[in-house]
Amino acid sequence: MNDSDPADRVPLRRIAALALPALVVLAAEPIYVLVDTAVVGHLGRVPLAALGIGGTVMSFAAWLGTVMAYGTTGRSARRFGAGDRRAAVEEGVQASWLALGIGLAMIVIVQIVAGPLIRALAGGPTPVAQAAEQWLRIAVLGAPGLMLVAAGNGWMRGVQETRRPLAIVVAANVVSAVLCPLLVYPAGLGLHGSAIANVIAQLGSGLLFVAALLRERAPLRPHPSEILAQLVVGRDLLIRGAAFQACWLSATSVAARYGDAALAAHQIGIQLWFFAALVLDAVAIAAQSLVGAALGAGDEPQARRLGRQIGLIGLASGVLFAVVFGAGARVIPALFTPDSTVHAQALVVWPWFTGLLPLVGVVYALDGVMIGAGDVAFMRNMTIVAALGGFLPGIWVAYALDLGLGGVWAGLALFTVIRLVALLLRVRTRAWSLTGATRPS
């Protein structure tokens, strides 16, 4: 059968049925953070600053959760594609044990290091540091729930079930959004009320995902070998994520050296970049589930067709973003600040930002394909090479040559192009599309 036969393509509505609920789940947390910020912001400058510092620490837990969800989806999808839903759910059981262990470890570690860590971030034993430490010590109690939610999302995406995780995550965020102002103001708990609302919502949603596992009647005994295999996948994705973080931090550091206006313009561009990434990640999650299932079923041609199809969807999405943001080049920055100097710097960023979006669309889509295939070691190595061999030296050379904000974004372009080329070369080989209920070593 011809691989390019349109009749063999996965219907767009099937991809959308996975991508759209994933998008809502991905967006739920940032939207809640905005609500939480608005509520706490009315308490004053110190509580708001404290929330910012404490929230930065807790965002690391959210990052770990994302890594866990992605790794679980690929492994679960393969077993589901092989026709063994029970084994796919058992991946979720093992991921949940791992999630619980990581969550409990985070509680212990944060309770030990919260004081010195927060003081280091806040620049000393200030009122902000004291408030942030108190918030963090409470908020981290929800870490087991946060990690269980990630594991639950992972295995449910793997078995291509979208309604239950969507309902659980949305309900939890609604509960938290309602509880937060009630605990902060009428209950008189102030900033502590924000942390308590987070903990209640996270533990509650984590328990709902555990209940979903219990309804599947899967064996609940932990299997160390399976947990270790999941840790290996998680390790590779964590290293990849660390390379990303090094790039974003370095870009911000270099942009800051060009002055406040340049840094503000860079922040506008990078936050819009992250917003686009949020939408494109939903397509990548659909790819994880569908590609993993195809390879688990032994259908390599279907997996390869999916790879091409998802890549084209990513390209189309990136082009759409580029058109919208390109048309708003002189309008969108004004939504963030009235400062004309920042607007001028934003015009330096904009051609790079919009021009890269189609490429980014393909990169994020193919990232999802590779994660679904379990080809995470390649992704780890590719990202490290792109970061250490392209982005980081590129932007520091740009700084040494005084190329301004355009040099920073040229480094980001180099990072994106290296990843794109590597992914396109990889997808042409058969090294990524190994079939079986588990990825062969």
Side-chain angles (χ1 to χ4, degrees):
M1 185 177 295
N2 192 323
D3 281 2
S4 62
D5 187 348
D8 294 324
R9 295 176 184 168
V10 174
L12 286 177
R13 64 179 179 274
R14 185 178 172 197
I15 296 173
L18 291 168
L20 293 178
L23 176 60
V24 176
V25 170
L26 288 169
E29 182 65 19
I31 290 172
Y32 170 70
V33 169
L34 289 175
V35 173
D36 196 18
T37 301
V39 171
V40 171
H42 287 84
L43 290 172
R45 186 167 54 192
V46 169
L48 183 58
L51 178 64
I53 292 174
T56 298
V57 177
M58 284 302 296
S59 68
F60 178 74
W63 175 45
L64 283 178
T66 300
V67 168
M68 170 167 288
Y70 284 2
T72 305
T73 296
R75 290 176 58 84
S76 181
R78 276 185 175 265
R79 295 188 182 278
F80 180 70
D84 194 346
R85 179 187 170 93
R86 184 182 180 87
V89 174
E90 287 178 6
E91 286 287 343
V93 172
Q94 303 311 312
S96 296
W97 280 113
L98 179 58
L100 183 60
I102 292 173
L104 292 173
M106 287 183 63
I107 291 176
V108 173
I109 292 170
V110 167
Q111 297 301 335
I112 293 171
V113 305
L117 175 61
I118 292 295
R119 286 192 292 275
L121 292 172
T126 63
V128 169
Q130 182 180 2
E133 179 184 344
Q134 293 171 353
W135 183 90
L136 181 60
R137 289 188 185 278
I138 298 171
V140 76
L141 299 177
L146 183 64
M147 300 305 294
L148 284 168
V149 167
N153 270 306
W155 74 263
M156 284 191 177
R157 290 168 184 164
V159 300
Q160 299 183 18
E161 184 169 336
T162 57
R163 291 186 179 181
R164 277 195 293 173
L166 175 62
I168 291 172
V169 171
V170 169
N173 278 274
V174 168
V175 167
S176 191
V178 171
L179 274 179
C180 183
L182 292 176
L183 294 177
V184 169
Y185 295 109
L189 296 177
L191 184 61
H192 293 175
S194 161
I196 293 169
N198 272 284
V199 171
I200 291 172
Q202 289 165 355
L203 292 180
S205 53
L207 289 174
L208 288 174
F209 275 107
V210 171
L213 275 177
L214 294 174
R215 282 195 294 272
E216 295 284 342
R217 301 185 183 279
L220 299 179
R221 185 166 63 88
H223 296 288
S225 61
E226 293 295 321
I227 292 174
L228 180 61
Q230 292 188 356
L231 276 172
V232 170
V233 173
R235 176 203 64 194
D236 290 338
L237 291 175
L238 274 174
I239 294 172
R240 171 178 174 266
F244 277 113
Q245 295 302 316
C247 290
W248 305 141
L249 289 172
S250 292
T252 300
S253 177
V254 174
R257 285 164 165 78
Y258 292 115
D260 293 344
L263 180 58
H266 173 73
Q267 182 68 6
I268 291 170
I270 209 70
Q271 288 305 316
L272 290 173
W273 177 289
F274 290 155
F275 171 76
L278 183 74
V279 178
L280 295 170
D281 257 351
V283 176
I285 286 170
Q288 293 170 27
S289 179
L290 293 169
V291 169
L295 292 174
D299 193 346
E300 185 193 18
Q302 175 74 331
R304 299 183 72 82
R305 285 191 293 270
L306 275 164
R308 288 190 291 273
Q309 190 177 354
I310 293 291
L312 289 173
I313 292 172
L315 175 62
S317 301
V319 169
L320 179 61
F321 274 121
V323 170
V324 171
F325 286 128
R330 294 189 177 274
V331 177
I332 295 174
L335 300 176
F336 291 87
T337 176
D339 191 319
S340 59
T341 309
V342 176
H343 297 170
Q345 288 292 319
L347 290 177
V348 175
V349 169
W350 229 253
W352 292 102
F353 167 54
T354 55
L356 284 173
L357 284 171
L359 307 185
V360 171
V362 179
V363 168
Y364 274 74
L366 294 183
D367 275 353
V369 171
M370 295 300 155
I371 291 174
D375 199 14
V376 291
F378 163 77
M379 294 185 64
R380 174 200 66 203
N381 296 338
M382 170 195 71
T383 307
I384 291 173
V385 169
L388 298 182
F391 185 74
L392 294 175
I395 62 168
W396 287 105
V397 167
Y399 174 64
L401 298 177
D402 198 24
L403 298 181
L405 202 51
V408 175
W409 280 76
L412 184 55
L414 181 60
F415 181 58
T416 302
V417 169
I418 291 173
R419 292 171 60 214
L420 176 63
V421 171
L423 283 165
L424 290 175
L425 291 175
R426 184 68 167 184
V427 84
R428 289 176 62 86
T429 73
R430 297 193 178 275
W432 67 274
S433 55
L434 304 179
T435 59
T438 58
R439 181 177 172 84
S441 307

